[in-house]
Amino acid sequence: MIDGYCCVCCALPRNLIQHLADQSTGSERELLHAQIDHAARLRGQRAALSKQRPAAAVGRQPLHRQVFDAQGNILLPGKLLRDEDDPPTRDVHADQTYENVGIALQFYKTVLGRDSMDGHGLRVDASVHYGNRFANAMWTGKQMIVGDGDGRHVTGLAKSLGIIAHEFSHGITQHLVKGGLGVVQMPGRMPELKGEAGALNESFSDVFASMIKQWHAGQTVREADWLLGEDILAPHTGKAVRSLKDPGNARLTWPEDDQIKSFTRFSPTDDAHRASGIANHAFYVTATVLGGKSWEKLAAVWFKAFDRLRARATFLDAAHATMDVAAALHGNRSAAHAAVKAGWKTVKVLA
Ligand SMILES: [Zn+2]
């Protein structure tokens, strides 16, 4: 256990899987309903997770990835398929996961000087072929799970850099914020991401996944699509899971996308994936006001700001932290500082 908590963070929100189940009949519908129940149960599955091998010694290798084959079971991590520097396995899910985890690791290392999730070269483990056609990807608190997809609505989670980078970034947040950003453990219940801090946790993963996609493609903020999961949904399901450019715009994403992009619509009971749209859009506005390549100035601003947040941080705390860091790095009359302020004003976190 890292930092004493375990939180299952899914890439696809529960309401999207529910929507897919509603669109299905017979055994497909049953499969998706079973997966919704399973995702909830997984949050408590610490016993199976503890069978994982210990992580590598600090600083042993510059990158250390291990990809496992869960072989259709739910016992993690499964059989080791590919270790760092091993040749491709010819298992396409395993090789795509290995490559995309590598891109995320390289981004944090190259752009931020961050050596893996913990800053000390922690080995990153991921399991593929988890359960029966599992239509989601997750960070469990100890490792990544990359589902095969149900083959009809959701496919190719492993090939989606955005999805893998999102889950990877949950591992980063876990190490940045002591006690877990927005992780709430109610007595007798499983840990969940709640409130403003939970939404900030989800947003950090979306924001960094967007920067990682753009960095890998060498795109400017104008060239980027600002979508997440644009490469995993079947055409009849939707176009993407989320948009940072226009959160909740179902024409850009999927029919029942209910993300919000203004703090005026926030309710403390909102799902973290819904309310994350507020901070996602603040970042999008900041990046487009500033122009150029999103990660060049803003990766450090967002990263260092989240490093200052406490477990129960609010959107206003995040606004102040990002503005303070932008001022410290670039000056309080800088374009970066003004852009950050414009971002949080647009989403009504700042008046
Ligand atoms: Zn997430």
Side-chain angles (χ1 to χ4, degrees):
M1 197 65 61
I2 302 161
D3 279 357
Y5 82 88
C6 171
C7 180
V8 171
C9 304
C10 298
L12 275 59
R14 188 186 192 281
N15 64 338
L16 173 51
I17 305 296
Q18 183 64 54
H19 168 75
L20 301 180
D22 293 344
Q23 304 296 305
S24 307
T25 52
S27 60
E28 278 192 2
R29 192 185 179 97
E30 281 169 29
L31 178 81
L32 291 163
H33 276 141
Q35 292 186 4
I36 291 170
D37 293 344
H38 181 68
R41 275 205 310 279
L42 243 185
R43 297 189 177 99
Q45 202 188 42
R46 298 186 188 193
L49 285 170
S50 68
K51 291 179 182 166
Q52 188 185 33
R53 298 178 190 191
V58 167
R60 205 192 94 192
Q61 290 185 38
L63 293 188
H64 199 178
R65 295 160 280 182
Q66 286 192 338
V67 180
F68 297 83
D69 182 357
Q71 299 175 304
N73 290 312
I74 56 167
L75 197 64
L76 293 167
K79 178 175 150 246
L80 181 62
L81 268 183
R82 188 170 177 187
D83 201 347
E84 191 65 43
D85 295 332
D86 282 353
T89 60
R90 289 203 237 164
D91 178 315
V92 68
H93 292 269
D95 290 334
Q96 287 170 337
T97 298
Y98 182 89
E99 293 304 323
N100 282 328
V101 169
I103 293 166
L105 277 162
Q106 289 290 6
F107 172 88
Y108 281 101
K109 201 175 178 72
T110 310
V111 176
L112 293 162
R114 175 88 178 177
D115 194 4
S116 189
M117 292 172 176
D118 63 344
H120 299 288
L122 181 80
R123 193 187 74 212
V124 179
D125 294 352
S127 296
V128 297
H129 307 310
Y130 177 80
N132 180 19
R133 294 185 284 148
F134 192 58
N136 217 328
M138 291 180 170
W139 168 250
T140 68
K142 292 196 85 169
Q143 69 155 94
M144 297 169 72
I145 296 173
V146 184
D148 292 349
D150 69 345
R152 188 171 120 76
H153 304 291
V154 179
T155 54
L157 291 146
K159 78 170 188 309
S160 175
L161 174 58
I163 295 292
I164 302 271
H166 174 102
E167 296 308 327
F168 185 97
S169 298
H170 277 305
I172 295 272
T173 329
Q174 178 168 338
H175 284 89
L176 288 186
V177 183
K178 205 171 166 58
L181 184 56
V183 177
V184 175
Q185 168 97 64
M186 304 283 278
R189 298 204 27 202
M190 296 148 182
E192 279 182 72
L193 294 178
K194 290 277 193 196
E196 296 185 43
L200 287 167
N201 191 324
E202 276 304 327
S203 175
F204 182 92
S205 277
D206 282 351
V207 162
F208 278 83
S210 297
M211 284 194 273
I212 290 168
K213 274 177 62 186
Q214 293 168 22
W215 174 76
H216 184 62
Q219 288 172 334
T220 65
V221 295
R222 308 274 164 213
E223 291 161 345
D225 61 15
W226 292 97
L227 296 170
L228 219 67
E230 75 290 353
D231 41 7
I232 61 163
L233 300 181
H236 70 269
T237 300
K239 291 180 181 157
V241 178
R242 285 185 282 281
S243 164
L244 283 76
K245 183 175 184 172
D246 194 9
N249 182 340
R251 286 194 304 279
L252 298 175
T253 56
W254 57 282
E256 291 173 36
D257 182 1
D258 66 349
Q259 269 209 307
I260 53 175
K261 59 176 177 179
S262 172
F263 188 54
T264 56
R265 294 184 61 201
F266 174 76
S267 152
T269 57
D270 279 343
D271 183 276
H273 291 103
R274 169 177 156 89
S276 59
I278 296 167
N280 282 358
H281 194 59
F283 181 82
Y284 165 82
V285 172
T286 300
T288 47
V289 164
L290 194 56
K293 289 173 171 162
S294 60
W295 65 89
E296 287 181 348
K297 283 184 175 164
L298 296 179
V301 170
W302 241 248
F303 185 89
K304 287 175 200 272
F306 273 69
D307 195 20
R308 295 180 176 191
L309 296 183
R310 289 163 297 108
R312 296 293 171 263
T314 62
F315 288 115
L316 191 59
D317 292 335
H320 285 308
T322 48
M323 285 194 295
D324 289 350
V325 173
L329 294 179
H330 303 289
N332 55 12
R333 291 169 178 269
S334 63
H337 182 263
V340 173
K341 195 169 180 181
W344 292 108
K345 273 188 147 186
T346 301
V347 298
K348 306 282 197 285
V349 168
L350 293 179

